[in-house]
Amino acid sequence: MKKTIGSIFIIACMVLPLSVNADPIFSQGFETDTDGWFDKDDSWSGNVERQLSGTSGITAFEGNYYAQFTQTNDTGGLTAAFSRLGGYNDVFPGDYSLQTAIYLDTSWANGSGFDFSVASNDTSGNHLQDFIFHVTKDTSTGELLVGGSNNTNFDPREDLESLNSFSIADSGWYVFEHLFRDDNGVLAVDLNLKNVLGDILFTETRTTATNLIPSEVGGNRYAWFTNIDIAEGIAVDGISLSVVAQEVSEPSIFAIFCLGVSGLVLRRKYTQ
């Protein structure tokens, strides 16, 4: 009986997976600069300005600085900054995620808001599709609503209350996650809204049957605030693009510990 228990313990330990977090493909916390984001100073549109934590009563999401994003019409239309997220990618790297912390203020004026798009490339390195968060202080309800879709008209959406949406009750930092994943050979993108603890508050999943992996779908393209219709702009921090943690078959430290304990169990039996 002792031999059986020891053997089961060994097997149970050996099947424990080891999760490995890949290094970020792109990250920007605005601690030293705004590199990676293109605004009017880069012949684009919008302003990205670093702010010391505590400015305007906003404590940085992480570190000592955040950035204030506003829009301008330098390109012939009211749009804001964009990022290539370290470079466009025409190969789907496995499930990957862009997480962006944005400060939401329930006191924003009715009718104001912003859209935040993250796009996928196709396998030729061209634009495939946008996946967009919509945030609007709804005029009819007075609620600060978050929703998602694949399109923007470059104005705050006033119909979010009739769609899958989430109402923000408290001002503060929220994490906007674009999770690009392989759903049985088709690209699915989860637009997840999280609180500061990482709990998911809202999800809108967007999928198109023709977005096939790996024949049609590449990797990341841009992140772009297509409009920021808030006079003072929005606070942004803690941007990170990374491949989602993968499970590998290498033994973890705990598995090695289990093997050691199991060996002692078996040794004890055979030396009795």
Side-chain angles (χ1 to χ4, degrees), residues 3-257:
K3 180 179 180 181
T4 302
I5 293 174
S7 300
I8 292 173
F9 192 58
I10 292 173
I11 294 171
C13 290
M14 290 185 70
V15 298
L16 289 175
L18 173 64
S19 293
V20 177
N21 289 309
D23 292 332
I25 299 169
F26 173 84
S27 63
Q28 178 54 275
F30 306 107
E31 291 301 294
T32 58
D33 53 46
T34 62
D35 288 355
W37 283 91
F38 297 87
D39 63 8
K40 69 175 186 178
D41 294 329
D42 306 292
S43 300
W44 181 244
S45 182
N47 288 303
V48 182
E49 296 184 2
R50 293 172 64 237
Q51 304 288 336
L52 182 64
S53 181
T55 302
S56 301
I58 298 175
T59 301
F61 178 74
E62 59 185 25
N64 298 312
Y65 289 86
Y66 64 90
Q68 195 77 2
F69 281 57
T70 54
Q71 72 177 10
T72 59
N73 63 354
D74 301 280
T75 57
L78 287 169
T79 64
F82 88 101
S83 173
R84 295 190 178 95
L85 300 173
Y88 295 165
N89 188 356
D90 59 6
V91 177
F92 188 76
D95 296 357
Y96 65 97
S97 166
L98 178 72
Q99 299 201 57
T100 309
I102 304 174
Y103 192 92
L104 303 183
D105 191 339
T106 57
S107 70
W108 285 336
N110 286 350
S112 63
F114 66 89
D115 284 354
F116 180 44
S117 175
V118 176
S120 170
N121 260 359
D122 64 18
T123 53
S124 298
N126 297 314
H127 175 273
L128 179 69
Q129 194 169 28
D130 286 89
F131 301 89
I132 303 172
F133 274 107
H134 305 282
V135 179
T136 302
K137 184 69 178 294
D138 187 68
T139 300
S140 61
T141 67
E143 295 180 284
L144 182 58
L145 300 176
V146 179
S149 77
N150 294 109
N151 297 291
T152 178
N153 62 1
F154 301 94
D155 281 310
R157 289 192 62 157
E158 288 278 15
D159 63 345
L160 295 181
E161 73 275 18
S162 65
L163 307 175
N164 177 30
S165 61
F166 181 82
S167 179
I168 301 296
D170 300 304
S171 300
W173 288 103
Y174 292 83
V175 176
F176 289 71
E177 179 185 40
H178 290 77
L179 175 59
F180 293 75
R181 56 185 176 85
D182 185 340
D183 183 14
N184 295 314
V186 176
L187 176 66
V189 180
D190 297 327
L191 303 177
N192 294 324
L193 180 70
K194 301 179 180 180
N195 61 22
V196 293
L197 299 177
D199 302 319
I200 295 178
L201 306 175
F202 162 84
T203 298
E204 169 71 20
T205 299
R206 311 297 296 181
T207 184
T208 301
T210 55
N211 287 344
L212 301 177
I213 299 172
S215 59
E216 301 296 331
V217 177
N220 67 277
R221 194 168 175 85
Y222 53 71
W224 179 21
F225 287 93
T226 57
N227 77 289
I228 300 176
D229 222 352
I230 299 166
E232 66 272 25
I234 57 174
V236 180
D237 200 359
I239 302 165
S240 180
L241 175 68
S242 60
V243 175
V244 174
Q246 301 294 319
E247 292 184 347
V248 297
S249 59
E250 296 177 11
S252 65
I253 293 175
F254 181 66
I256 294 172
F257 168 77

